[in-house]
Amino acid sequence: MRLTPNGGRDAIDGWETGADGERYLKARVSDPPDKGKANKALVALIAKAAGVAKSAVSLVSGDTQRKKILRIDGDPEDIVSRLERAGAH
């Protein structure tokens, strides 16, 4: 996951392949990266897009970095499908 804080709106911007060959889901939130506000907004955005409760989404790593790893509890196939659709413009 690659997050852009202060992005003007909350949205999933699709997929990106990094220089390391890994695919990242890109997201932006309107909240600033201040006291975890952007991370909380990201969790809410991903929970909504994945169709799960906010409590089912947790930040595993990347608290202060743009690249984050999230854990999403639920049916993996359903979650991936929903995130794919949310990231397709």
Side-chain angles (χ1 to χ4, degrees), residues 2-86:
R2 185 173 181 278
L3 176 64
T4 300
N6 288 325
R9 61 188 169 88
D10 294 355
I12 294 175
D13 291 334
W15 296 88
E16 167 181 87
T17 301
D20 57 4
E22 292 286 328
R23 282 185 70 205
Y24 299 97
L25 185 62
K26 297 186 309 181
R28 67 179 61 234
V29 295
S30 57
D31 290 45
D34 181 45
K35 298 179 183 171
K37 291 179 184 175
N39 289 338
K40 288 179 184 173
L42 175 64
V43 166
L45 174 66
I46 295 300
K48 183 177 179 182
V52 299
K54 285 188 274 185
S55 61
V57 180
S58 57
L59 183 64
V60 174
S61 70
D63 187 47
T64 60
Q65 300 169 350
R66 280 184 174 243
K67 289 186 180 172
K68 315 223 179 251
I69 296 176
L70 300 176
R71 176 184 171 89
I72 306 171
D73 295 329
D75 176 20
E77 289 182 14
D78 185 46
I79 290 169
V80 169
S81 175
R82 288 173 183 258
L83 291 177
E84 289 279 351
R85 285 193 306 267

